[in-house]
Amino acid sequence: MKQETIKADELNLKDKVVYINRVAKVVKGGRRFSFSALVVVGNEAGIVGAGKGKAAEVPDAIRKAIDKAKKSLISFPLKETTIPHRVEYKYGATKIVINPAPKGTGIIAGGPARAVFEVAGVQDVTAKVLGSHNPFNSVKATIGALISLKDPSTVVKFRAKPSELESTEENQSQQEEKVL
């Protein structure tokens, strides 16, 4: 199942800096510092992306990370303010478990996962990061878990026999007619 590319310029995206890392390279004259930034962007309605930027200055690293994040946008299904079902995902040594939560619960998750949920538009969710707590891997595991979410209506189409599918479509159309 391949994700279609999402045009970032058509969306109103919100960005959030997750982590900034300073690295030092020891040279003859002393230490030379550079910075890497991890940024997540999203439209708060089921579209999210992450990017890593490296530069000699922090603002340049953040700008590069935002540009990369806009190129890696993915969409996932939302069920009102939460996710449709429980999901577990492993990326490297990081494993994340994400559970849907009732309305009003809020985001119960650690730092990097919380940032992804905030920009993605998930308002009620509980998540636990297990194993490594590296922010880069935590963000990639969270986004991988969101990609693996399935919309209930598409799952019904895969599982149902053609005769059952037609009857469910007829029931839905009858219910819609009753509402109108």
Side-chain angles (χ1 to χ4, degrees):
M1 189 164 87
K2 189 170 182 330
Q3 289 280 334
E4 65 276 352
T5 56
I6 300 168
K7 303 267 191 280
D9 50 342
E10 298 171 358
L11 300 170
N12 182 19
L13 295 173
K14 176 182 167 187
D15 58 78
K16 188 167 188 119
V17 177
V18 177
Y19 184 71
I20 295 176
N21 190 29
R22 185 184 80 169
V23 293
K25 177 182 178 183
V26 179
V27 293
K28 185 177 176 183
R31 293 185 184 95
R32 184 160 294 152
F33 296 106
S34 66
F35 299 89
S36 66
L38 177 63
V39 176
V40 290
V41 298
N43 72 339
E44 298 180 328
I47 294 178
V48 69
K52 177 183 176 183
K54 294 192 262 187
E57 299 294 327
V58 174
D60 293 336
I62 292 173
R63 181 184 45 77
K64 287 180 182 180
I66 290 171
D67 291 342
K68 284 189 180 176
K70 286 180 179 178
K71 291 177 185 173
S72 69
L73 292 175
I74 59 106
S75 64
F76 63 94
L78 278 172
K79 183 181 174 186
E80 294 178 14
T81 60
T82 189
I83 58 173
H85 57 85
R86 173 189 166 97
V87 65
E88 293 182 16
Y89 192 83
K90 187 170 172 70
Y91 181 86
T94 301
K95 180 180 178 182
I96 189 161
V97 180
I98 307 172
N99 292 313
K103 196 172 183 75
T105 303
I107 300 171
I108 301 172
R114 173 182 289 273
V116 173
F117 294 134
E118 285 174 357
V119 297
V122 181
Q123 296 170 2
D124 301 305
V125 70
T126 60
K128 179 68 181 164
V129 177
L130 304 167
S132 171
H133 296 283
N134 178 325
F136 293 95
N137 286 356
S138 295
V139 166
K140 287 186 177 183
T142 305
I143 290 179
L146 293 176
I147 289 172
S148 68
L149 287 172
K150 292 179 176 55
D151 189 39
S153 60
T154 58
V155 172
V156 167
K157 289 179 183 175
F158 284 127
R159 291 185 182 175
K161 296 175 187 169
S163 60
E164 292 175 0
L165 189 61
E166 290 170 4
S167 64
T168 57
E169 288 175 357
E170 289 172 6
N171 290 341
Q172 287 177 351
S173 63
Q174 288 174 359
Q175 289 176 353
E176 290 171 2
E177 289 174 5
K178 289 179 183 177
V179 171
L180 298 176

